Amino acid sequence: MRRVPGRHRIGAAPVRVSPRRWDVAKTAAAAQLDQVEPAWFIWYGVGLQRFVAVAIWRTDGPLRIHAATVEELRELMREAELEAMASFVPGRAWVA
């Protein structure tokens, strides 16, 4: 006998549960930022409750940044880009 998906308790009838989307606005904000930042892969981690960005350009090692807000994430991304540019040309200052 196949059980209906949903919430189950021993001795109780199964209850069908419809799927639910979490943090829709934050997920949409991350998707929008991902569209305008070609050098980064960006998403909102529902379990983390944080915005996450991974550099998709060449780095010395994996570069992953996370922040509580989109604004904070963008600021950290700019800092990471400036640090990376400074490491390519030692002794030169880059201005964004």
Side-chain angles (χ1 to χ4, degrees), residues 16-22:
R16 184 172 291 279
V17 177
S18 58
R20 183 173 175 187
R21 295 186 63 200
W22 299 91

Side-chain angles (χ1 to χ4, degrees), residues 33-80:
L33 184 59
D34 185 53
Q35 292 294 313
V36 297
E37 294 287 349
W40 297 87
F41 177 64
I42 301 163
W43 73 93
Y44 180 74
V46 177
L48 296 169
Q49 295 185 336
R50 307 214 18 111
F51 293 91
V52 183
V54 174
I56 55 176
W57 35 274
R58 187 178 193 150
T59 62
D60 292 337
L63 178 55
R64 178 179 166 175
I65 299 171
H66 54 86
T69 65
V70 171
E71 294 78 19
E72 181 186 1
L73 185 69
R74 288 188 89 163
E75 184 178 312
L76 293 172
M77 290 163 53
R78 297 296 87 83
E79 288 176 13

